Amino acid sequence: MVFKRQPGPLGVGGPTVDTVLDAGAVRPGGTLSGRVELAGGTAGH
């Protein structure tokens, strides 16, 4: 499962943040594992 978010105030070419959850079921109260992937933007100053 992947959740994507691109911060709005930074506009086109801004950094991206992806939350990637590991596969598998998790019971309520269990441990959820995954990673957060950051990619730098291409916007100039």
Side-chain angles (χ1 to χ4, degrees):
M1 179 180 290
V2 177
F3 297 100
K4 287 193 169 200
R5 180 176 182 159
Q6 185 170 7
L10 299 175
V12 175
T16 59
V17 179
D18 295 335
T19 304
V20 182
L21 302 178
D22 293 336
V26 177
R27 293 182 178 262
T31 301
L32 182 64
S33 61
R35 64 188 181 278
V36 176
E37 298 176 348
L38 304 173
T42 58
H45 293 316

